[in-house]
Amino acid sequence: MRSSPSVNNNPRSLAVMTETLQSRKELEDLQDDLREVQGLLRRQHLVEGLVARQDTPPHDLAEHAVYHQIGMELRAKLERMHPADVAYILESLPLQERLYVWDLVKAERDGEILLEVSDAVRESLIKSMDSDELVAAVEQLDTDELADLAPDLPDDVIQDVFQALPVEEREQLRAAMSYPDDAVGAIMDFDVVSVREDVTLEVVTRYLRRFDELPGHTDQVFVVDREEHLKGVLPLNKLIVTDLEATVGAVMQSDTITLYPDDDARDAAQAFERYDLVSAGVVDDAGKLLGRVTIDKVVDYIRDKSESEALAQAGLREEEDIFASVWDSVKNRWAWLAVNLITAFIASRVIGAFEGSIEKLVALAALMPIVAGIGGNSGNQTITMIVRAFALGQIKPDHARKLFRKELGVALANGLIWGGILGLLTWWLYASVPLGLVMTAAMTLNLLLAATMGVLIPLAMIKVGHDPAVGSSVMITACTDSGGFFIFLGLATLFLLR
């Protein structure tokens, strides 16, 4: 990625992002829509119950006047809603109601809604559609949007859509699908507007007016030569205020942010944030313009990554449909629960090894969860800071020594301060100075252990190429629980019960 902090520092980017977010309804309005849809569905269920008690044949139900009217109201309601809002409604309904509402959505909007729903809900919707319906739903999407959906579509559907595309779009789709999910190429938009540098702004203006509408988030026109090599950009705000007799070459910005399709999408997101970008060109190694990345795709990428990391920290393998079957939910959650069970068993064996000490001094049973709990919280703080810094590109694995020194210093200070306070409280509660000193020492040592593992665990995972957020909290809790119990009970056994 090439970047220049002085280029394209566009104050309009915040306004564009705000407009993008405000184009969807506020959460309160969405919840009102959801309640209205749920109310219509409840009325429909009541009609179904009444018809069933009247022994009306099932095929006559759809002709029932009230039932038909409710369906029409529901369809009209959905037609007025943005695809993202319809997606929110679908995600909030149990499976049977979701599929009924999905059938009411106009076929030409299916593809847009499939792009908006969560992966888990998308899977349930796709399962309910036959191949012809899926082809009809996705064939109206742009190439980059189709590439987003492709991993979830059956192979025969992809082949049918692929064969129906023009040659140029077919090559674009093949290219988009070849990039990893975290690459710039995976979030690249092929819909770009480009001009030559030797034409006048008047010619550019006439050219732009030939479009029915410009591609979304068009804040600049890309300037290319005859071989489509990127020469610079022409911001629309300059186009508007500059004399139309001027040439593009005289007005364009040649020093601009440029991305490559193999760049890390996280780095691109940081560039958008740092330089207030709305769009940025994507070029190949020869400098040929391939497409662009826009702020809406960057926001979607950041949101998806944040959700994935939050799920990973909770020990979930993937996003889960809240109305999924019991078995599907079990499969999604079992892995880290199994790990947690093993670590909890290890912690219990540590306690079991000191049963004699606990029997002699019952206060140990009341105090040892405090040591383990504070250590786990401290370790999670360290891991959170390191994972965030890694996501921002601020640290590398070779920074381990500096991180260890810094986190050990923080842990030592916290251990002496809070361990000292806890030691005083222990002395006051149990009238035992030695027990208070053991509590202070155990707290300090466990915080030092938490700091060490809090640095070591994410850096080790980065070193072997794994996401440092996945399972880190489970692992640090296991270390501080077992380690905290061992340190506290071991010190108590050595100094209090000899």
Side-chain angles (χ1 to χ4, degrees):
M1 180 180 68
R2 302 171 187 163
S3 63
S4 171
S6 62
V7 178
N8 208 13
N9 191 356
N10 191 346
R12 290 180 60 250
S13 63
L14 180 59
V16 172
M17 183 180 292
T18 302
E19 181 181 349
T20 301
L21 297 175
Q22 289 179 344
S23 66
R24 300 179 180 181
K25 297 182 179 180
E26 297 292 339
L27 181 59
E28 293 81 0
D29 294 332
L30 274 175
Q31 291 173 339
D32 289 341
D33 288 337
L34 175 60
R35 283 190 287 270
E36 184 176 345
V37 169
Q38 290 172 330
L40 290 170
L41 290 171
R42 280 195 297 271
R43 287 170 55 194
Q44 203 161 54
H45 290 326
L46 288 174
V47 173
E48 290 174 353
L50 290 173
V51 170
R53 284 196 291 272
Q54 295 171 3
D55 295 327
T56 302
H59 64 270
D60 290 342
L61 178 62
E63 302 301 325
H64 193 286
V66 178
Y67 187 93
H68 184 68
Q69 178 62 32
I70 295 173
M72 293 292 290
E73 288 182 36
L74 198 50
R75 186 188 299 272
K77 174 70 178 176
L78 296 169
E79 287 178 359
R80 294 193 298 269
M81 297 176 66
H82 188 280
D85 300 334
V86 177
Y88 174 83
I89 298 294
L90 292 170
E91 291 171 354
S92 305
L93 295 176
L95 182 60
Q96 292 304 316
E97 293 183 353
R98 176 189 301 160
L99 296 181
Y100 173 74
V101 170
W102 178 238
D103 286 338
L104 295 179
V105 177
K106 281 190 174 181
E108 60 265 24
R109 302 179 70 204
D110 286 356
E112 295 177 334
I113 297 170
L114 284 174
L115 284 170
E116 298 288 349
V117 295
S118 65
D119 292 344
V121 172
R122 183 186 301 136
E123 182 179 347
S124 69
L125 299 179
I126 288 176
K127 282 182 178 178
S128 71
M129 304 171 70
D130 59 35
S131 296
D132 292 338
E133 288 177 315
L134 282 171
V135 171
V138 302
E139 65 182 0
Q140 317 236 349
L141 298 176
D142 294 335
T143 305
D144 57 304
E145 296 174 331
L146 184 54
D148 291 339
L149 276 183
D152 298 318
L153 297 175
D155 291 340
D156 59 328
V157 172
I158 288 293
Q159 290 300 321
D160 289 344
V161 174
F162 191 79
Q163 294 300 324
L165 290 174
V167 175
E168 182 180 3
E169 293 185 16
R170 193 181 303 172
E171 292 304 315
Q172 290 176 348
L173 177 58
R174 183 182 287 113
M177 293 174 62
S178 68
Y179 296 112
D181 291 341
D182 287 333
V184 164
I187 60 173
M188 179 173 59
D189 182 359
F190 295 98
D191 197 4
V192 299
V193 179
S194 61
V195 296
R196 304 277 170 76
E197 61 182 318
D198 56 350
V199 301
T200 65
L201 299 187
E202 182 179 5
V203 173
V204 175
T205 301
R206 290 203 306 268
Y207 170 64
L208 295 180
R209 286 174 179 169
R210 293 170 57 186
F211 288 85
D212 292 331
E213 62 177 351
L214 293 176
H217 303 286
T218 297
D219 66 315
Q220 58 189 5
V221 177
F222 297 96
V223 183
V224 298
D225 60 18
R226 294 185 181 278
E227 286 75 36
E228 297 297 318
H229 294 104
L230 182 63
K231 310 298 290 185
V233 296
L234 174 62
L236 293 186
N237 55 5
K238 279 198 171 185
L239 174 63
I240 293 172
V241 300
T242 306
D243 186 355
L244 294 179
E245 297 300 320
T247 63
V248 170
V251 180
M252 73 176 189
Q253 295 178 348
S254 57
D255 187 16
T256 184
I257 304 296
T258 305
L259 305 173
Y260 294 91
D262 293 325
D263 283 344
D264 193 320
R266 183 178 286 133
D267 294 338
Q270 291 171 13
F272 268 72
E273 180 183 10
R274 186 179 304 117
Y275 303 128
D276 295 329
L277 301 179
V278 177
S279 67
V282 181
V283 299
D284 62 15
D285 292 335
K288 185 176 180 180
L289 182 65
L290 300 177
R292 63 182 185 139
V293 173
T294 54
I295 186 65
D296 59 324
K297 289 296 185 69
V298 170
V299 170
D300 287 344
Y301 172 79
I302 294 173
R303 181 194 62 199
D304 291 342
K305 290 297 292 183
S306 299
E307 290 176 353
S308 297
E309 290 176 359
L311 291 169
Q313 289 175 352
L316 295 172
R317 294 191 300 173
E318 60 187 20
E319 188 174 4
E320 184 178 304
D321 178 5
I322 58 174
F323 296 107
S325 67
V326 172
W327 180 239
D328 287 340
S329 296
V330 168
K331 289 190 295 183
N332 188 37
R333 304 182 194 186
W334 75 267
W336 283 106
L337 288 177
V339 173
N340 204 21
L341 176 62
I342 295 171
T343 59
F345 180 79
I346 294 172
S348 72
R349 289 300 83 214
V350 172
I351 296 173
F354 293 95
E355 284 181 355
S357 300
I358 296 173
E359 288 176 357
K360 293 177 183 178
L361 187 58
V362 179
L364 298 180
L367 294 174
M368 63 184 184
I370 301 175
V371 176
I374 296 296
N377 185 55
S378 177
N380 275 310
Q381 289 176 338
T382 301
I383 281 181
T384 300
M385 293 298 296
I386 291 179
V387 170
R388 178 181 179 276
F390 172 73
L392 295 174
Q394 295 172 340
I395 62 170
K396 302 296 179 185
D398 55 2
H399 294 151
R401 184 174 299 176
K402 292 182 179 178
L403 290 172
F404 273 124
R405 284 201 301 263
K406 183 253 187 178
E407 291 301 326
L408 287 176
V410 173
L412 181 60
N414 280 329
L416 293 175
I417 294 171
W418 298 107
I421 293 173
L422 192 55
L424 291 173
L425 289 174
T426 302
W427 166 69
W428 177 69
L429 287 172
Y430 297 99
S432 174
V433 172
L435 181 57
L437 292 174
V438 165
M439 196 67 181
T440 300
M443 178 70 75
T444 303
L445 290 174
N446 199 30
L447 288 181
L448 290 171
L449 172 65
T452 301
M453 301 308 297
V455 174
L456 186 61
I457 289 172
L459 288 183
M461 297 180 74
I462 293 169
K463 192 76 172 178
V464 298
H466 290 294
D467 186 346
V470 177
S472 291
S473 61
V474 175
M475 296 171 69
I476 191 66
T477 300
C479 291
T480 54
D481 280 357
S482 299
F485 293 150
F486 181 81
I487 291 169
F488 179 57
L489 296 175
L491 290 176
T493 301
L494 284 175
F495 298 106
L496 299 180
L497 300 173
R498 292 198 308 174

